[in-house]
Each structure stands twice: as structure tokens, then as C-alpha cells.
């Protein structure tokens, strides 16, 4: 079955770059997602990447996709204390309208 | 436009009691999903409604869980009787027909003592 794996914790200093990694198993996914959960809030879609892309950049966020290794990463440049949150990668089980398979979430702690 | 709302935000009950969680999706969204995150673990899918019909309930843990979406608007998830392992955060999400993005509610934190 589908499986998504992430490391659980990451601690960085303000201003540094953060890299959150994820591995997945279902190579048929059309999209791969990154969700962010701030304390006390719901899940917010942060960014996504089409499976036919290798990289997507959106301001301070860079998503890298290595389809061969089924590896996805999220890089946050110039990390701020407001970036402290739990980050989940997720893949849909089919193209549209399908359930999401999530990783365990990576808790990012940004120290001033 | 209002987002997905969930009620209550927190619930603390004793083992054996019944709890009902409610989710109000974004108006016009036919797809409604329930997910659950047990402490420190991954967010797991529970079930998916399309309008009032259960499209996929493969993630429901057992028959102590009952989800309904009468009229295809809001949904309820009832746990009866609750067990200790049911503790966690229950998320609801909705999406449009053919839409890729699921919009999540803030979750209900359930604690079973």
C-alpha cells in the first residue's frame, strides 16, 4: 500500500535554511503536496508540485522532486520564527478527489 | 467565504461514553473527508463522502465509528462507545468536484480518559 515517511523534528536558527525531507511509495501520483499546521490551527496547503516537474520555487519555498528515488523535499530560505509549525507531505491516492496519504509530520522549531 | 468549521474544538470524555463531532464544509463542496491524527503519528484517512453518499470508508477503524452526512451538507462522526485509543485530533476537509485542493478545518481534539 501507499506509505509516506518523514523525519519527526528539525531545529534551525532564524535566518538559516530549513530542509524537510519526505519519501513516498506511490509513483502514480500526479501531485505531491506540502501542508503546514501552525499551533492550534488546521492544515493549510503550503505548496504542491506536479509529478512531471523536478523543482518548483515560490518565494522562500523550493520544492524538489526526485522521482527515481521517490524523494520530495521542502526548502525554506531565510527561516523565520513564524515558520515554526508541523509540515506534512502528502500524496493523493488518485488524481482528483482522492484521499490523501500523509507522512508523520516534521515539527520545525526556529530559534531566534 | 467561510472555511471548513468543526465543533467542538476540544472534547474530553470518559471511556465508554459517546461523542459526536461535527464538520461544516465549505458551501458547495460535494467532497467531504474525515481524517485522524493520533499523537505524534501520521494523519490517517477515515472516510470520504460525495454529497450524502459514502464514497470510501476504508479507513474507519471499527464499528464504534459512525459517520453521516444527511442532506449532503454538514457531517457528523459519532464514536460509541469511546475507547482510550480513540484519542487524537480529528480533521475534516472538503473539496469541490474535480478540485485538487482539500481545505481543512481546525480539527477537534478528542481526549478519552
Amino acid at each position: 500500500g501507499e506509505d509516506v515517511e518523514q523525519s519527526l523534528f528539525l531545529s534551525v536558527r532564524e535566518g538559516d535554511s530549513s530542509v524537510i525531507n519526505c519519501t513516498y511509495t506511490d509513483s502514480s501520483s500526479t501531485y505531491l503536496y506540502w501542508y503546514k499546521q501552525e499551533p492550534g490551527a488546521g492544515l493549510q496547503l503550503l505548496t504542491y508540485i506536479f509529478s512531471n516537474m523536478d523543482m518548483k520555487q515560490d518565494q522562500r519555498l523550493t520544492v524538489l522532486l526526485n522521482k527515481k528515488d521517490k524523494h520530495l523535499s521542502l526548502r525554506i530560505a531565510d527561516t523565520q520564527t513564524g515558520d515554526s509549525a508541523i509540515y506534512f507531505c502528502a500524496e493523493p491516492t488518485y488524481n482528483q478527489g482522492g484521499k490523501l496519504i500523509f507522512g508523520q509530520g516534521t515539527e520545525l522549531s526556529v530559534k531566534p | 467565504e467561510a472555511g471548513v468549521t468543526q465543533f467542538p474544538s476540544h472534547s474530553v470524555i470518559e471511556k465508554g461514553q459517546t461523542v459526536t463531532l461535527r464538520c461544516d464544509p465549505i458551501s458547495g463542496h460535494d467532497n467531504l473527508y474525515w481524517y485522524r491524527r493520533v499523537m505524534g503519528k501520521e494523519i490517517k484517512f477515515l472516510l470520504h463522502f460525495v454529497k450524502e453518499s459514502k464514497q470510501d470508508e476504508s479507513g474507519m477503524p471499527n464499528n464504534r465509528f459512525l459517520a453521516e452526512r444527511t442532506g449532503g451538507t454538514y457531517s457528523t462522526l459519532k464514536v460509541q462507545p469511546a475507547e482510550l485509543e480513540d484519542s487524537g485530533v480529528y480533521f475534516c476537509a472538503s473539496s469541490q468536484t474535480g478540485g485538487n485542493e482539500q481545505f481543512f478545518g481546525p480539527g477537534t481534539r478528542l481526549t478519552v480518559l
Side-chain angles (χ1 to χ4, degrees):
Chain A
E2 303 89 0
D3 195 19
V4 178
E5 299 280 340
Q6 293 178 245
S7 52
L8 295 182
F9 300 101
L10 177 65
S11 180
V12 301
R13 291 227 172 261
E14 193 172 20
D16 288 350
S17 292
S18 307
V19 179
I20 301 171
N21 295 301
C22 171
T23 57
Y24 61 96
T25 57
D26 187 354
S27 58
S28 66
S29 297
T30 303
Y31 305 88
L32 290 156
Y33 301 99
W34 283 103
Y35 279 85
K36 176 183 180 182
Q37 184 187 16
E38 296 182 2
L43 293 162
Q44 173 194 0
L45 180 64
L46 193 61
T47 188
Y48 64 90
I49 188 167
F50 288 97
S51 59
N52 62 358
M53 297 170 65
D54 297 324
M55 184 180 84
K56 177 180 178 181
Q57 186 141 9
D58 183 3
Q59 299 181 337
R60 292 190 297 120
L61 304 178
T62 303
V63 180
L64 295 177
L65 176 60
N66 181 329
K67 290 183 285 294
K68 175 176 172 290
D69 294 337
K70 295 181 185 174
H71 183 266
L72 181 71
S73 68
L74 174 68
R75 179 177 181 270
I76 305 173
D78 186 25
T79 313
Q80 303 297 307
T81 54
D83 295 324
S84 293
I86 302 176
Y87 292 80
F88 295 90
C89 63
E91 61 172 341
T93 51
Y94 46 91
N95 283 354
Q96 295 187 1
K99 66 186 180 187
L100 295 171
I101 306 296
F102 285 90
Q104 303 95 317
T106 300
E107 184 172 348
L108 174 64
S109 174
V110 183
K111 302 190 186 313
Chain B
E1 180 184 337
V4 177
T5 57
Q6 293 187 245
F7 183 83
S9 57
H10 293 86
S11 180
V12 181
I13 61 172
E14 292 190 350
K15 175 183 170 180
Q17 289 186 321
T18 298
V19 64
T20 300
L21 314 181
R22 174 173 168 142
C23 168
D24 286 77
I26 293 172
S27 177
H29 282 193
D30 288 339
N31 293 296
L32 187 149
Y33 304 82
W34 284 99
Y35 295 86
R36 175 175 74 172
R37 187 181 192 218
V38 173
M39 180 66 73
K41 299 200 171 181
E42 72 272 25
I43 299 169
K44 282 197 169 180
F45 166 81
L46 297 177
L47 89 159
H48 171 206
F49 284 99
V50 177
K51 296 184 181 178
E52 66 274 11
S53 300
K54 291 175 185 173
Q55 179 78 12
D56 179 356
E57 52 184 326
S58 61
M60 294 289 263
N62 50 60
N63 59 10
R64 295 186 293 103
F65 288 74
L66 175 64
E68 294 180 321
R69 193 184 182 195
T70 307
T73 55
Y74 70 91
S75 174
T76 58
L77 179 65
K78 182 162 75 172
V79 185
Q80 179 183 31
E83 298 289 343
L84 299 178
E85 64 264 25
D86 300 333
S87 295
V89 181
Y90 290 76
F91 291 102
C92 174
S94 71
S95 70
Q96 294 178 315
T97 300
N100 293 315
E101 182 175 356
Q102 294 182 25
F103 295 84
F104 281 78
T108 294
R109 181 174 295 278
L110 174 65
T111 302
V112 182
L113 302 175

